[in-house]
Short mmCIF file of all heavy atoms in Angstrom, two decimals:
data_model
loop_
_atom_site.label_atom_id
_atom_site.label_comp_id
_atom_site.label_asym_id
_atom_site.label_seq_id
_atom_site.Cartn_x
_atom_site.Cartn_y
_atom_site.Cartn_z
N MET A 1 -12.89 -137.82 -42.11
CA MET A 1 -13.24 -139.23 -42.13
C MET A 1 -13.39 -139.71 -40.70
O MET A 1 -12.50 -139.56 -39.89
CB MET A 1 -12.15 -140.02 -42.86
CG MET A 1 -12.43 -141.51 -42.86
SD MET A 1 -11.15 -142.47 -43.69
CE MET A 1 -10.12 -142.92 -42.31
N HIS A 2 -14.53 -140.26 -40.41
CA HIS A 2 -14.78 -140.82 -39.09
C HIS A 2 -15.42 -142.20 -39.28
O HIS A 2 -16.59 -142.41 -39.00
CB HIS A 2 -15.70 -139.90 -38.30
CG HIS A 2 -15.99 -140.38 -36.92
ND1 HIS A 2 -15.02 -140.46 -35.95
CD2 HIS A 2 -17.13 -140.83 -36.35
CE1 HIS A 2 -15.57 -140.94 -34.84
NE2 HIS A 2 -16.84 -141.16 -35.07
N GLY A 3 -14.68 -143.11 -39.83
CA GLY A 3 -15.20 -144.44 -40.11
C GLY A 3 -14.07 -145.41 -40.38
O GLY A 3 -12.92 -145.15 -40.04
N LEU A 4 -14.42 -146.52 -41.02
CA LEU A 4 -13.43 -147.54 -41.35
C LEU A 4 -13.53 -147.93 -42.81
O LEU A 4 -14.62 -147.98 -43.37
CB LEU A 4 -13.67 -148.79 -40.50
CG LEU A 4 -13.41 -148.69 -39.01
CD1 LEU A 4 -13.83 -149.99 -38.33
CD2 LEU A 4 -11.95 -148.42 -38.75
N ARG A 5 -12.39 -148.25 -43.39
CA ARG A 5 -12.35 -148.76 -44.76
C ARG A 5 -12.48 -150.28 -44.73
O ARG A 5 -11.86 -150.95 -43.91
CB ARG A 5 -11.06 -148.38 -45.44
CG ARG A 5 -10.97 -146.92 -45.72
CD ARG A 5 -10.43 -146.64 -47.11
NE ARG A 5 -10.49 -145.22 -47.36
CZ ARG A 5 -11.40 -144.64 -48.13
NH1 ARG A 5 -12.30 -145.37 -48.74
NH2 ARG A 5 -11.41 -143.34 -48.30
N HIS A 6 -13.30 -150.79 -45.64
CA HIS A 6 -13.45 -152.24 -45.75
C HIS A 6 -12.13 -152.81 -46.28
O HIS A 6 -11.55 -152.27 -47.24
CB HIS A 6 -14.60 -152.58 -46.69
CG HIS A 6 -15.00 -154.00 -46.62
ND1 HIS A 6 -14.35 -154.97 -47.33
CD2 HIS A 6 -15.98 -154.62 -45.91
CE1 HIS A 6 -14.91 -156.15 -47.08
NE2 HIS A 6 -15.91 -155.95 -46.21
N PRO A 7 -11.62 -153.88 -45.68
CA PRO A 7 -10.31 -154.39 -46.07
C PRO A 7 -10.23 -154.94 -47.50
O PRO A 7 -9.14 -154.95 -48.08
CB PRO A 7 -10.02 -155.50 -45.06
CG PRO A 7 -11.35 -155.88 -44.52
CD PRO A 7 -12.21 -154.66 -44.59
N PHE A 8 -11.35 -155.36 -48.07
CA PHE A 8 -11.31 -155.92 -49.43
C PHE A 8 -11.79 -154.93 -50.49
O PHE A 8 -11.12 -154.74 -51.50
CB PHE A 8 -12.13 -157.21 -49.51
CG PHE A 8 -11.63 -158.27 -48.59
CD1 PHE A 8 -12.44 -158.79 -47.60
CD2 PHE A 8 -10.33 -158.75 -48.69
CE1 PHE A 8 -11.98 -159.76 -46.73
CE2 PHE A 8 -9.85 -159.73 -47.83
CZ PHE A 8 -10.68 -160.24 -46.85
N SER A 9 -12.93 -154.29 -50.25
CA SER A 9 -13.49 -153.39 -51.27
C SER A 9 -12.90 -151.98 -51.21
O SER A 9 -12.94 -151.25 -52.20
CB SER A 9 -15.01 -153.29 -51.11
OG SER A 9 -15.35 -152.55 -49.93
N GLY A 10 -12.39 -151.58 -50.04
CA GLY A 10 -11.88 -150.23 -49.87
C GLY A 10 -12.96 -149.20 -49.62
O GLY A 10 -12.68 -148.01 -49.49
N ALA A 11 -14.24 -149.64 -49.54
CA ALA A 11 -15.34 -148.71 -49.27
C ALA A 11 -15.22 -148.16 -47.86
O ALA A 11 -14.78 -148.85 -46.94
CB ALA A 11 -16.68 -149.42 -49.44
N LEU A 12 -15.61 -146.90 -47.69
CA LEU A 12 -15.58 -146.24 -46.40
C LEU A 12 -16.94 -146.37 -45.73
O LEU A 12 -17.95 -146.00 -46.32
CB LEU A 12 -15.21 -144.76 -46.57
CG LEU A 12 -15.18 -143.92 -45.30
CD1 LEU A 12 -14.11 -144.43 -44.34
CD2 LEU A 12 -14.93 -142.46 -45.66
N TYR A 13 -16.96 -146.91 -44.51
CA TYR A 13 -18.18 -147.08 -43.72
C TYR A 13 -18.13 -146.07 -42.58
O TYR A 13 -17.21 -146.10 -41.76
CB TYR A 13 -18.23 -148.50 -43.14
CG TYR A 13 -18.54 -149.58 -44.15
CD1 TYR A 13 -17.67 -149.87 -45.19
CD2 TYR A 13 -19.71 -150.32 -44.04
CE1 TYR A 13 -17.96 -150.88 -46.10
CE2 TYR A 13 -20.00 -151.34 -44.95
CZ TYR A 13 -19.13 -151.60 -45.97
OH TYR A 13 -19.42 -152.59 -46.87
N GLU A 14 -19.14 -145.16 -42.55
CA GLU A 14 -19.17 -144.12 -41.53
C GLU A 14 -20.50 -144.13 -40.79
O GLU A 14 -21.55 -144.30 -41.42
CB GLU A 14 -18.99 -142.74 -42.18
CG GLU A 14 -17.67 -142.58 -42.89
CD GLU A 14 -17.60 -141.26 -43.62
OE1 GLU A 14 -18.25 -141.13 -44.67
OE2 GLU A 14 -16.89 -140.37 -43.12
N PRO A 15 -20.48 -143.94 -39.48
CA PRO A 15 -21.73 -143.92 -38.72
C PRO A 15 -22.55 -142.67 -39.02
O PRO A 15 -22.00 -141.59 -39.22
CB PRO A 15 -21.27 -143.94 -37.26
CG PRO A 15 -19.89 -143.39 -37.29
CD PRO A 15 -19.32 -143.74 -38.63
N GLU A 16 -23.86 -142.85 -39.08
CA GLU A 16 -24.82 -141.76 -39.23
C GLU A 16 -25.75 -141.80 -38.03
O GLU A 16 -25.66 -142.70 -37.20
CB GLU A 16 -25.64 -141.94 -40.52
CG GLU A 16 -24.84 -141.77 -41.79
CD GLU A 16 -24.57 -140.32 -42.13
OE1 GLU A 16 -25.49 -139.49 -41.97
OE2 GLU A 16 -23.44 -140.01 -42.54
N GLU A 17 -26.68 -140.88 -37.93
CA GLU A 17 -27.66 -140.88 -36.85
C GLU A 17 -28.63 -142.04 -37.01
O GLU A 17 -28.81 -142.58 -38.10
CB GLU A 17 -28.43 -139.57 -36.84
CG GLU A 17 -27.58 -138.37 -36.48
CD GLU A 17 -28.37 -137.08 -36.47
OE1 GLU A 17 -29.57 -137.09 -36.81
OE2 GLU A 17 -27.79 -136.05 -36.13
N ASN A 18 -29.30 -142.40 -35.92
CA ASN A 18 -30.36 -143.42 -35.89
C ASN A 18 -29.89 -144.80 -36.37
O ASN A 18 -30.60 -145.49 -37.09
CB ASN A 18 -31.56 -142.96 -36.72
CG ASN A 18 -32.13 -141.67 -36.20
OD1 ASN A 18 -32.24 -141.46 -35.00
ND2 ASN A 18 -32.48 -140.78 -37.11
N GLU A 19 -28.68 -145.19 -36.00
CA GLU A 19 -28.11 -146.50 -36.33
C GLU A 19 -28.02 -146.76 -37.82
O GLU A 19 -28.20 -147.87 -38.29
CB GLU A 19 -28.90 -147.62 -35.64
CG GLU A 19 -28.82 -147.58 -34.13
CD GLU A 19 -29.50 -148.76 -33.47
OE1 GLU A 19 -30.43 -149.34 -34.06
OE2 GLU A 19 -29.06 -149.12 -32.38
N LEU A 20 -27.74 -145.71 -38.59
CA LEU A 20 -27.55 -145.85 -40.03
C LEU A 20 -26.07 -145.72 -40.35
O LEU A 20 -25.29 -145.21 -39.55
CB LEU A 20 -28.34 -144.79 -40.79
CG LEU A 20 -29.85 -144.88 -40.66
CD1 LEU A 20 -30.51 -143.70 -41.38
CD2 LEU A 20 -30.39 -146.19 -41.18
N VAL A 21 -25.70 -146.21 -41.53
CA VAL A 21 -24.29 -146.20 -41.96
C VAL A 21 -24.21 -145.63 -43.37
O VAL A 21 -24.96 -146.05 -44.26
CB VAL A 21 -23.70 -147.63 -41.94
CG1 VAL A 21 -22.26 -147.63 -42.41
CG2 VAL A 21 -23.82 -148.24 -40.56
N ARG A 22 -23.30 -144.69 -43.56
CA ARG A 22 -23.02 -144.14 -44.89
C ARG A 22 -21.87 -144.95 -45.47
O ARG A 22 -20.81 -145.07 -44.86
CB ARG A 22 -22.62 -142.67 -44.79
CG ARG A 22 -22.16 -142.07 -46.12
CD ARG A 22 -21.69 -140.64 -45.95
NE ARG A 22 -22.76 -139.80 -45.46
CZ ARG A 22 -23.64 -139.17 -46.25
NH1 ARG A 22 -23.54 -139.29 -47.54
NH2 ARG A 22 -24.58 -138.44 -45.71
N VAL A 23 -22.09 -145.50 -46.67
CA VAL A 23 -21.05 -146.27 -47.34
C VAL A 23 -20.66 -145.53 -48.61
O VAL A 23 -21.51 -145.18 -49.43
CB VAL A 23 -21.54 -147.70 -47.69
CG1 VAL A 23 -20.44 -148.49 -48.38
CG2 VAL A 23 -22.02 -148.42 -46.43
N THR A 24 -19.36 -145.26 -48.76
CA THR A 24 -18.83 -144.56 -49.93
C THR A 24 -17.81 -145.46 -50.60
O THR A 24 -16.82 -145.85 -49.97
CB THR A 24 -18.17 -143.23 -49.53
OG1 THR A 24 -19.09 -142.45 -48.76
CG2 THR A 24 -17.73 -142.46 -50.75
N THR A 25 -18.05 -145.80 -51.86
CA THR A 25 -17.11 -146.66 -52.58
C THR A 25 -15.92 -145.86 -53.07
O THR A 25 -15.94 -144.63 -53.08
CB THR A 25 -17.79 -147.32 -53.80
OG1 THR A 25 -18.09 -146.31 -54.76
CG2 THR A 25 -19.03 -148.09 -53.40
N LYS A 26 -14.89 -146.57 -53.50
CA LYS A 26 -13.71 -145.91 -54.06
C LYS A 26 -14.06 -145.15 -55.33
O LYS A 26 -13.41 -144.19 -55.68
CB LYS A 26 -12.62 -146.95 -54.32
CG LYS A 26 -12.03 -147.53 -53.05
CD LYS A 26 -11.17 -148.73 -53.31
CE LYS A 26 -9.79 -148.33 -53.74
NZ LYS A 26 -8.89 -149.50 -53.88
N ALA A 27 -15.14 -145.58 -56.03
CA ALA A 27 -15.57 -144.92 -57.26
C ALA A 27 -16.45 -143.70 -56.98
O ALA A 27 -16.86 -143.00 -57.90
CB ALA A 27 -16.33 -145.91 -58.13
N GLY A 28 -16.77 -143.45 -55.70
CA GLY A 28 -17.55 -142.28 -55.33
C GLY A 28 -19.04 -142.50 -55.15
O GLY A 28 -19.77 -141.55 -54.89
N LYS A 29 -19.52 -143.73 -55.30
CA LYS A 29 -20.94 -144.00 -55.05
C LYS A 29 -21.19 -143.92 -53.55
O LYS A 29 -20.35 -144.35 -52.75
CB LYS A 29 -21.33 -145.38 -55.56
CG LYS A 29 -21.32 -145.49 -57.06
CD LYS A 29 -21.81 -146.85 -57.50
CE LYS A 29 -21.85 -146.95 -59.00
NZ LYS A 29 -22.39 -148.24 -59.42
N VAL A 30 -22.36 -143.39 -53.17
CA VAL A 30 -22.70 -143.22 -51.75
C VAL A 30 -24.09 -143.77 -51.49
O VAL A 30 -25.04 -143.48 -52.23
CB VAL A 30 -22.67 -141.73 -51.35
CG1 VAL A 30 -23.06 -141.56 -49.89
CG2 VAL A 30 -21.30 -141.13 -51.61
N GLY A 31 -24.21 -144.56 -50.45
CA GLY A 31 -25.50 -145.09 -50.04
C GLY A 31 -25.63 -145.09 -48.53
O GLY A 31 -24.63 -145.16 -47.81
N ILE A 32 -26.87 -144.99 -48.05
CA ILE A 32 -27.16 -145.06 -46.62
C ILE A 32 -27.81 -146.40 -46.36
O ILE A 32 -28.77 -146.79 -47.05
CB ILE A 32 -28.10 -143.91 -46.18
CG1 ILE A 32 -27.53 -142.55 -46.58
CG2 ILE A 32 -28.38 -144.00 -44.69
CD1 ILE A 32 -26.21 -142.20 -45.91
N TYR A 33 -27.30 -147.11 -45.34
CA TYR A 33 -27.74 -148.47 -45.05
C TYR A 33 -28.07 -148.63 -43.58
O TYR A 33 -27.52 -147.94 -42.73
CB TYR A 33 -26.64 -149.47 -45.45
CG TYR A 33 -26.53 -149.59 -46.95
CD1 TYR A 33 -25.82 -148.66 -47.68
CD2 TYR A 33 -27.16 -150.62 -47.61
CE1 TYR A 33 -25.75 -148.73 -49.06
CE2 TYR A 33 -27.09 -150.71 -48.99
CZ TYR A 33 -26.40 -149.77 -49.71
OH TYR A 33 -26.34 -149.86 -51.08
N THR A 34 -28.97 -149.59 -43.29
CA THR A 34 -29.29 -149.93 -41.91
C THR A 34 -28.16 -150.77 -41.34
O THR A 34 -27.29 -151.24 -42.08
CB THR A 34 -30.59 -150.73 -41.80
OG1 THR A 34 -30.42 -151.97 -42.50
CG2 THR A 34 -31.78 -149.96 -42.36
N LYS A 35 -28.21 -151.00 -40.03
CA LYS A 35 -27.15 -151.78 -39.41
C LYS A 35 -27.13 -153.23 -39.88
O LYS A 35 -26.12 -153.91 -39.75
CB LYS A 35 -27.21 -151.70 -37.89
CG LYS A 35 -28.41 -152.29 -37.26
CD LYS A 35 -28.34 -152.11 -35.75
CE LYS A 35 -29.56 -152.64 -35.07
NZ LYS A 35 -29.46 -152.46 -33.62
N ASP A 36 -28.24 -153.71 -40.45
CA ASP A 36 -28.24 -155.08 -40.98
C ASP A 36 -28.01 -155.13 -42.49
O ASP A 36 -28.20 -156.17 -43.12
CB ASP A 36 -29.50 -155.84 -40.57
CG ASP A 36 -30.77 -155.21 -41.07
OD1 ASP A 36 -30.73 -154.09 -41.61
OD2 ASP A 36 -31.83 -155.85 -40.93
N GLY A 37 -27.58 -154.01 -43.07
CA GLY A 37 -27.15 -153.99 -44.47
C GLY A 37 -28.23 -153.71 -45.49
O GLY A 37 -28.00 -153.90 -46.68
N ARG A 38 -29.40 -153.24 -45.08
CA ARG A 38 -30.46 -152.92 -46.04
C ARG A 38 -30.35 -151.46 -46.46
O ARG A 38 -30.15 -150.58 -45.64
CB ARG A 38 -31.84 -153.18 -45.43
CG ARG A 38 -32.11 -154.68 -45.32
CD ARG A 38 -33.48 -154.94 -44.80
NE ARG A 38 -33.41 -154.75 -43.35
CZ ARG A 38 -34.45 -154.63 -42.55
NH1 ARG A 38 -35.67 -154.65 -43.06
NH2 ARG A 38 -34.30 -154.47 -41.26
N ARG A 39 -30.52 -151.23 -47.78
CA ARG A 39 -30.40 -149.87 -48.32
C ARG A 39 -31.59 -149.02 -47.92
O ARG A 39 -32.73 -149.42 -48.04
CB ARG A 39 -30.28 -149.92 -49.84
CG ARG A 39 -30.03 -148.56 -50.46
CD ARG A 39 -29.67 -148.67 -51.93
NE ARG A 39 -30.74 -149.23 -52.71
CZ ARG A 39 -31.60 -148.53 -53.44
NH1 ARG A 39 -31.49 -147.23 -53.50
NH2 ARG A 39 -32.54 -149.13 -54.12
N VAL A 40 -31.29 -147.80 -47.46
CA VAL A 40 -32.31 -146.82 -47.10
C VAL A 40 -32.44 -145.79 -48.22
O VAL A 40 -33.54 -145.43 -48.63
CB VAL A 40 -31.96 -146.12 -45.77
CG1 VAL A 40 -32.92 -145.00 -45.44
CG2 VAL A 40 -31.91 -147.13 -44.64
N SER A 41 -31.29 -145.32 -48.72
CA SER A 41 -31.29 -144.32 -49.79
C SER A 41 -29.93 -144.32 -50.48
O SER A 41 -28.98 -144.94 -50.01
CB SER A 41 -31.61 -142.93 -49.24
OG SER A 41 -30.59 -142.51 -48.35
N GLY A 42 -29.88 -143.61 -51.58
CA GLY A 42 -28.61 -143.47 -52.30
C GLY A 42 -28.34 -144.62 -53.24
O GLY A 42 -29.24 -145.38 -53.61
N ASP A 43 -27.08 -144.73 -53.63
CA ASP A 43 -26.66 -145.76 -54.58
C ASP A 43 -26.78 -147.15 -53.99
O ASP A 43 -26.56 -147.35 -52.80
CB ASP A 43 -25.21 -145.52 -55.02
CG ASP A 43 -25.05 -144.24 -55.81
OD1 ASP A 43 -25.85 -144.03 -56.74
OD2 ASP A 43 -24.12 -143.47 -55.50
N LYS A 44 -27.11 -148.11 -54.86
CA LYS A 44 -27.14 -149.51 -54.44
C LYS A 44 -25.71 -150.05 -54.53
O LYS A 44 -25.10 -150.06 -55.58
CB LYS A 44 -28.07 -150.32 -55.34
CG LYS A 44 -28.29 -151.71 -54.85
CD LYS A 44 -29.34 -152.42 -55.66
CE LYS A 44 -29.57 -153.80 -55.08
NZ LYS A 44 -30.57 -154.53 -55.87
N ILE A 45 -25.19 -150.45 -53.36
CA ILE A 45 -23.81 -150.91 -53.24
C ILE A 45 -23.83 -152.29 -52.60
O ILE A 45 -24.66 -152.56 -51.75
CB ILE A 45 -23.00 -149.93 -52.36
CG1 ILE A 45 -23.03 -148.51 -52.95
CG2 ILE A 45 -21.57 -150.41 -52.17
CD1 ILE A 45 -22.54 -147.44 -52.00
N ASP A 46 -22.92 -153.14 -53.01
CA ASP A 46 -22.79 -154.44 -52.36
C ASP A 46 -22.06 -154.24 -51.04
O ASP A 46 -20.84 -154.13 -51.02
CB ASP A 46 -22.02 -155.39 -53.28
CG ASP A 46 -22.00 -156.82 -52.76
OD1 ASP A 46 -22.86 -157.16 -51.93
OD2 ASP A 46 -21.12 -157.58 -53.20
N VAL A 47 -22.83 -154.13 -49.93
CA VAL A 47 -22.23 -153.84 -48.63
C VAL A 47 -22.03 -155.10 -47.81
O VAL A 47 -22.65 -156.12 -48.06
CB VAL A 47 -23.07 -152.82 -47.82
CG1 VAL A 47 -23.21 -151.52 -48.57
CG2 VAL A 47 -24.42 -153.38 -47.46
N ASP A 48 -21.18 -155.01 -46.83
CA ASP A 48 -20.91 -156.09 -45.89
C ASP A 48 -21.77 -155.87 -44.65
O ASP A 48 -21.53 -154.93 -43.89
CB ASP A 48 -19.42 -156.06 -45.53
CG ASP A 48 -18.99 -157.16 -44.60
OD1 ASP A 48 -19.87 -157.77 -43.93
OD2 ASP A 48 -17.78 -157.41 -44.51
N PRO A 49 -22.80 -156.71 -44.42
CA PRO A 49 -23.68 -156.50 -43.27
C PRO A 49 -22.98 -156.63 -41.92
O PRO A 49 -23.42 -156.04 -40.94
CB PRO A 49 -24.78 -157.56 -43.43
CG PRO A 49 -24.23 -158.56 -44.38
CD PRO A 49 -23.20 -157.85 -45.22
N GLN A 50 -21.90 -157.36 -41.85
CA GLN A 50 -21.15 -157.42 -40.59
C GLN A 50 -20.48 -156.08 -40.31
O GLN A 50 -20.43 -155.63 -39.18
CB GLN A 50 -20.11 -158.54 -40.63
CG GLN A 50 -20.75 -159.91 -40.59
CD GLN A 50 -19.72 -161.02 -40.59
OE1 GLN A 50 -18.67 -160.91 -41.19
NE2 GLN A 50 -20.04 -162.10 -39.90
N MET A 51 -20.01 -155.44 -41.36
CA MET A 51 -19.37 -154.14 -41.20
C MET A 51 -20.40 -153.06 -40.86
O MET A 51 -20.15 -152.24 -39.98
CB MET A 51 -18.63 -153.78 -42.49
CG MET A 51 -17.74 -152.60 -42.39
SD MET A 51 -16.10 -153.05 -41.83
CE MET A 51 -15.16 -151.75 -42.55
N THR A 52 -21.56 -153.08 -41.52
CA THR A 52 -22.59 -152.08 -41.19
C THR A 52 -23.07 -152.27 -39.76
O THR A 52 -23.28 -151.30 -39.04
CB THR A 52 -23.79 -152.14 -42.16
OG1 THR A 52 -24.34 -153.45 -42.17
CG2 THR A 52 -23.39 -151.70 -43.56
N GLY A 53 -23.20 -153.51 -39.33
CA GLY A 53 -23.62 -153.79 -37.95
C GLY A 53 -22.61 -153.30 -36.94
O GLY A 53 -22.96 -152.74 -35.90
N TRP A 54 -21.36 -153.47 -37.23
CA TRP A 54 -20.31 -153.05 -36.30
C TRP A 54 -20.22 -151.53 -36.23
O TRP A 54 -20.12 -150.96 -35.16
CB TRP A 54 -18.97 -153.66 -36.70
CG TRP A 54 -17.97 -153.56 -35.62
CD1 TRP A 54 -17.94 -154.25 -34.45
CD2 TRP A 54 -16.84 -152.68 -35.60
NE1 TRP A 54 -16.86 -153.86 -33.70
CE2 TRP A 54 -16.17 -152.90 -34.38
CE3 TRP A 54 -16.34 -151.75 -36.49
CZ2 TRP A 54 -15.01 -152.22 -34.04
CZ3 TRP A 54 -15.19 -151.07 -36.14
CH2 TRP A 54 -14.53 -151.31 -34.93
N ILE A 55 -20.29 -150.88 -37.39
CA ILE A 55 -20.19 -149.42 -37.43
C ILE A 55 -21.40 -148.78 -36.75
O ILE A 55 -21.26 -147.77 -36.05
CB ILE A 55 -20.06 -148.93 -38.89
CG1 ILE A 55 -18.74 -149.39 -39.49
CG2 ILE A 55 -20.21 -147.42 -38.98
CD1 ILE A 55 -17.50 -148.82 -38.85
N ALA A 56 -22.59 -149.35 -36.92
CA ALA A 56 -23.82 -148.76 -36.36
C ALA A 56 -24.03 -149.07 -34.89
O ALA A 56 -24.87 -148.45 -34.24
CB ALA A 56 -25.03 -149.22 -37.16
N SER A 57 -23.27 -149.99 -34.34
CA SER A 57 -23.50 -150.38 -32.95
C SER A 57 -23.10 -149.27 -31.99
O SER A 57 -22.23 -148.46 -32.29
CB SER A 57 -22.74 -151.66 -32.61
OG SER A 57 -21.35 -151.45 -32.67
N GLU A 58 -23.76 -149.24 -30.85
CA GLU A 58 -23.44 -148.24 -29.83
C GLU A 58 -22.07 -148.50 -29.25
O GLU A 58 -21.65 -149.64 -29.11
CB GLU A 58 -24.47 -148.28 -28.70
CG GLU A 58 -25.81 -147.75 -29.08
CD GLU A 58 -26.73 -147.64 -27.89
OE1 GLU A 58 -26.25 -147.35 -26.79
OE2 GLU A 58 -27.92 -147.86 -28.09
N ARG A 59 -21.40 -147.43 -28.92
CA ARG A 59 -20.08 -147.54 -28.30
C ARG A 59 -20.20 -147.14 -26.83
O ARG A 59 -20.67 -146.06 -26.52
CB ARG A 59 -19.06 -146.62 -28.98
CG ARG A 59 -18.85 -146.94 -30.44
CD ARG A 59 -18.09 -148.24 -30.59
NE ARG A 59 -17.84 -148.52 -31.98
CZ ARG A 59 -18.41 -149.53 -32.64
NH1 ARG A 59 -19.26 -150.31 -32.04
NH2 ARG A 59 -18.12 -149.75 -33.88
N GLY A 60 -19.82 -148.03 -25.97
CA GLY A 60 -19.84 -147.74 -24.54
C GLY A 60 -18.47 -147.26 -24.10
O GLY A 60 -17.65 -146.80 -24.90
N VAL A 61 -18.20 -147.42 -22.85
CA VAL A 61 -16.90 -147.07 -22.31
C VAL A 61 -15.91 -148.15 -22.72
O VAL A 61 -16.22 -149.34 -22.67
CB VAL A 61 -16.98 -146.96 -20.77
CG1 VAL A 61 -15.61 -146.69 -20.17
CG2 VAL A 61 -17.96 -145.88 -20.37
N HIS A 62 -14.74 -147.74 -23.12
CA HIS A 62 -13.71 -148.70 -23.53
C HIS A 62 -13.37 -149.62 -22.36
O HIS A 62 -13.28 -149.17 -21.22
CB HIS A 62 -12.46 -147.96 -24.01
CG HIS A 62 -11.47 -148.86 -24.67
ND1 HIS A 62 -10.59 -149.63 -23.98
CD2 HIS A 62 -11.24 -149.11 -25.98
CE1 HIS A 62 -9.85 -150.31 -24.81
NE2 HIS A 62 -10.22 -150.01 -26.04
N ARG A 63 -13.19 -150.89 -22.62
CA ARG A 63 -12.95 -151.88 -21.57
C ARG A 63 -11.68 -151.64 -20.77
O ARG A 63 -11.53 -152.14 -19.68
CB ARG A 63 -12.92 -153.27 -22.17
CG ARG A 63 -11.77 -153.46 -23.11
CD ARG A 63 -11.88 -154.75 -23.90
NE ARG A 63 -10.95 -154.69 -24.99
CZ ARG A 63 -9.90 -155.46 -25.12
NH1 ARG A 63 -9.66 -156.38 -24.26
NH2 ARG A 63 -9.09 -155.33 -26.14
N MET A 64 -10.75 -150.87 -21.29
CA MET A 64 -9.48 -150.61 -20.60
C MET A 64 -9.53 -149.36 -19.71
O MET A 64 -8.59 -149.06 -19.03
CB MET A 64 -8.34 -150.49 -21.59
CG MET A 64 -8.12 -151.76 -22.42
SD MET A 64 -7.74 -153.21 -21.40
CE MET A 64 -6.06 -152.84 -20.94
N VAL A 65 -10.64 -148.63 -19.74
CA VAL A 65 -10.76 -147.42 -18.93
C VAL A 65 -11.10 -147.80 -17.50
O VAL A 65 -11.99 -148.61 -17.25
CB VAL A 65 -11.85 -146.49 -19.50
CG1 VAL A 65 -12.09 -145.31 -18.57
CG2 VAL A 65 -11.47 -146.00 -20.87
N ASN A 66 -10.38 -147.22 -16.56
CA ASN A 66 -10.62 -147.48 -15.15
C ASN A 66 -11.84 -146.65 -14.71
O ASN A 66 -11.77 -145.44 -14.63
CB ASN A 66 -9.39 -147.12 -14.32
CG ASN A 66 -9.56 -147.45 -12.87
OD1 ASN A 66 -10.58 -148.01 -12.45
ND2 ASN A 66 -8.57 -147.14 -12.07
N THR A 67 -12.96 -147.33 -14.44
CA THR A 67 -14.17 -146.62 -14.04
C THR A 67 -14.38 -146.65 -12.54
O THR A 67 -15.35 -146.09 -12.05
CB THR A 67 -15.40 -147.24 -14.73
OG1 THR A 67 -15.48 -148.62 -14.40
CG2 THR A 67 -15.33 -147.04 -16.24
N ALA A 68 -13.49 -147.28 -11.79
CA ALA A 68 -13.61 -147.32 -10.32
C ALA A 68 -13.25 -145.96 -9.75
O ALA A 68 -12.29 -145.32 -10.16
CB ALA A 68 -12.69 -148.38 -9.74
N SER A 69 -14.05 -145.49 -8.79
CA SER A 69 -13.75 -144.20 -8.17
C SER A 69 -12.80 -144.40 -7.01
O SER A 69 -12.91 -145.36 -6.22
CB SER A 69 -15.03 -143.52 -7.70
OG SER A 69 -15.71 -144.36 -6.79
N HIS A 70 -11.83 -143.55 -6.91
CA HIS A 70 -10.81 -143.64 -5.83
C HIS A 70 -11.00 -142.54 -4.85
O HIS A 70 -11.24 -141.46 -5.08
CB HIS A 70 -9.40 -143.58 -6.38
CG HIS A 70 -9.07 -144.74 -7.26
ND1 HIS A 70 -9.55 -146.01 -7.07
CD2 HIS A 70 -8.31 -144.81 -8.36
CE1 HIS A 70 -9.06 -146.81 -8.00
NE2 HIS A 70 -8.31 -146.08 -8.82
#
């Protein structure tokens, strides 16, 4: 598992390539969605577009990492 569970539905949101998100429900339904919550393939699931956007967003360097060279 490399994703986050939705706090209300319990669905697992996992990042895929090309800014897509795999959503797996507790019942085992699986769908692939864009970062704005539109279905690309798989099962039609009531997804949270804020969660898909967050999961699909690029991750930079963590803000607490010291990037200054000494």
Side-chain angles (χ1 to χ4, degrees):
M1 178 181 94
H2 181 67
L4 292 175
R5 290 224 175 256
H6 192 277
F8 299 120
S9 71
L12 178 62
Y13 287 65
E14 299 175 286
E16 292 282 319
E17 293 180 356
N18 301 319
E19 296 185 333
L20 296 176
V21 178
R22 173 183 299 271
V23 180
T24 306
T25 68
K26 291 169 82 174
K29 291 184 178 183
V30 178
I32 305 296
Y33 288 81
T34 62
K35 65 181 178 180
D36 60 351
R38 288 183 281 166
R39 185 169 63 100
V40 174
S41 64
D43 294 312
K44 188 173 183 181
I45 301 167
D46 187 20
V47 300
D48 182 342
Q50 289 182 326
M51 190 88 153
T52 56
W54 194 72
I55 293 296
S57 65
E58 288 188 34
R59 299 289 182 248
V61 176
H62 191 279
R63 64 190 166 114
M64 299 301 286
V65 173
N66 183 3
T67 58
S69 57
H70 296 325

